[in-house]
Amino acid sequence: MSEKEFAEHREDEHIVENKELSIWEAFIPVILLMLMLAYNIFFADGEALGAYSNQFILLIGGGIAAIVGLFNKVSIKSMLAEIWENLRSVFVPIMILFLVGALAGTWLVSGIIPAMVYYGLKVLSPEIFLPASVIIAALISIATGSSWTTSATVGIALVGIGTALGIPTGMIAGAVISGAYFGDKMSPLSDTTNLAPAMAGTDLFTHIRYMSFTTVPSIVVTLAVFSILSMNIATTGSANVDNLLTTIATTFNITPYLFIVPVLVIILILFKTKPLIALGVGVGAAAIFAMIFQTDILLQISEFETTSLFQAIFTDTQIVTENEKLNELFSAGGMQGMLWTIYLICCAMVFGGVMDGIGALSRITNALLSVATTIFGLFASTVISCLGLNIIASDQYLALVIPGKMFKKAYEDKGLAPENLSRTLEDSGTVTSVLIPWNTCGAYQSGVLGVGVGEYFVYAIFNWLSPITTLLFAAFSIKIRMLATKV
């Protein structure tokens, strides 16, 4: 929504105050939630209650908050009303997430994602291997919306190639992770890029545009550092990716014309087209291009082209090639693949709704505001909270969801536009998760790339630089957008 629409919506918002609720009672659901999440990660491998453990724990946290509310004479009706308001507020973000899933599927079967991988690999050169690795990982992550998929496919190939060239594995992994998380942050296909604005109360493309103010300087510095490192490292051998390129070219019809679709979507974004329309056009155009350029791929999936397209939009799609690593990259979950994130959002809205209803969020944010008396203090508190949750809860989604919900009112009370919060959540929550060995992201990346977190930590420049950049912007009041006020 626009700043004007958000300001109008804010005036209509019902903020629940409960003077009977003490600050300690307000923190009870949060503390117990943290303890359950910690147990789930450290003692149950993240599946204490099955594949949707985090979602169930959020619902249990909501139940605990409801019990606290009942002891403080808050009616169930008022709690349910706040839950409904919260769920209604994320209807559009959920629709966008479904379209993001459809976009990922259609961009795969149309050959758009494979074309990005193909042309990205072609720019490799031993003399500029590290900055080139950042760029390749960034492009592929933007195309797929997944830092995990990028690292598990092209990332592994780049580590292998760089090792053959005599480059330290920690540097290579740091370059891959820096690029992958830049792309993950800036891609409209990324679940975290959709989750952060949903929590903060802004729209996807406003979030991406505003996030670029801190993200672009961070990646520029990252590229400069890796360029300097490349110039001071003696490489041997050659970067041979011929097998990957041949497999992609024989599987798909690779042509520059495929880039018309992403360029069209980018143009629509730049002209501030509504996200649902821009993404819908991206899905439709990709489906048409699939029928024009990738007939063989569609017939490989199903005997009918339209059936293949419907499968790409709604369910899992797997393109089989001669290379197992490419098989991992050339898969998409469609709309179905977004359900985990959508369920997480809904469960977070239930937890947040109950916390709203009993007056706990108001009590906590008032306490936070009494400590964070300045705008910089509020930004710093958000960064510390995101980092803390990445360490304690060991999950980047929860490092976005919980601070996002808790700090939303505090930012509004300071007159700050919601994109300030969504940007800070991503700058400090999304990208730092990979720097913590026991976090799901850190464990995954080190396991997939075969490089320990301690080895790549220093070289994951973009990841530790991002929260520093966002704090510098806050300290010097650079690009801090205020809420529009009604006259």
Side-chain angles (χ1 to χ4, degrees), residues 25-37 49 53-69 79 83 347-348 350-355 358 360 402 406:
E25 288 174 317
F27 269 112
I28 286 174
V30 178
I31 293 170
L32 292 179
L33 181 68
M34 293 298 98
L35 290 174
M36 287 187 288
L37 291 171
L49 300 173
S53 291
N54 288 337
Q55 287 86 340
F56 285 125
I57 289 172
L58 281 166
L59 292 177
I60 294 171
I64 293 169
I67 293 172
V68 172
M79 287 185 261
I83 291 172
C347 292
V350 172
F351 174 73
V354 179
M355 291 287 284
I358 69 173
I402 295 172
M406 295 299 184

Side-chain angles (χ1 to χ4, degrees), residues 13-271:
E13 268 191 350
H14 175 212
I15 304 299
V16 179
E17 300 281 351
N18 185 355
K19 295 181 180 179
E20 301 295 323
L21 190 74
S22 71
I23 185 64
W24 303 112
E25 288 174 317
F27 269 112
I28 286 174
V30 178
I31 293 170
L32 292 179
L33 181 68
M34 293 298 98
L35 290 174
M36 287 187 288
L37 291 171
Y39 174 83
N40 183 47
I41 295 298
F42 293 115
F43 301 103
D45 294 326
E47 294 193 358
L49 300 173
Y52 294 95
S53 291
N54 288 337
Q55 287 86 340
F56 285 125
I57 289 172
L58 281 166
L59 292 177
I60 294 171
I64 293 169
I67 293 172
V68 172
L70 291 174
F71 272 103
N72 284 274
K73 300 179 181 180
V74 179
S75 69
I76 293 177
K77 182 179 179 180
S78 63
M79 287 185 261
L80 289 175
E82 292 301 319
I83 291 172
W84 169 245
E85 286 300 316
N86 275 12
L87 290 172
R88 191 176 68 168
S89 71
V90 295
F91 176 76
V92 172
I94 287 174
M95 292 299 101
I96 290 174
L97 279 172
F98 276 125
L99 274 178
V100 164
L103 197 72
T106 53
W107 280 27
L108 172 62
V109 298
S110 64
I112 295 169
I113 291 173
M116 289 182 174
V117 175
Y118 181 85
Y119 290 111
L121 288 173
K122 277 201 162 188
V123 306
L124 275 177
S125 170
E127 295 76 17
I128 56 167
F129 183 83
L130 290 174
S133 295
V134 175
I135 294 169
I136 291 168
L139 290 174
I140 294 170
S141 191
I142 288 172
T144 62
S146 172
S147 56
W148 283 29
T149 301
T150 301
S151 297
T153 52
V154 175
I156 293 174
L158 289 171
V159 169
I161 296 165
T163 302
L165 295 172
I167 301 173
T169 54
M171 286 187 185
I172 306 165
V176 169
I177 289 169
S178 292
Y181 274 81
F182 167 81
D184 193 305
K185 275 184 68 179
M186 299 303 292
S187 174
L189 302 181
S190 169
D191 46 8
T192 56
T193 307
N194 283 271
L195 186 59
M199 292 299 100
T202 187
D203 68 81
L204 173 63
F205 293 140
T206 297
H207 168 61
I208 292 175
R209 284 194 299 269
Y210 197 65
M211 190 166 52
S212 66
F213 293 129
T214 55
T215 302
V216 172
S218 296
I219 199 65
V220 169
V221 172
T222 300
L223 285 168
V225 172
F226 278 118
S227 297
I228 293 170
L229 289 173
S230 285
M231 289 187 290
N232 289 278
I233 294 176
T235 59
T236 58
S238 61
N240 185 6
V241 293
D242 290 343
N243 290 336
L244 290 175
L245 294 174
T246 300
T247 301
I248 296 171
T250 54
T251 305
F252 295 90
N253 178 15
I254 301 298
T255 169
Y257 290 118
L258 293 170
F259 289 98
I260 292 174
V261 177
V263 169
L264 175 61
V265 174
I266 290 170
I267 290 172
L268 290 174
I269 293 171
L270 293 175
F271 278 92

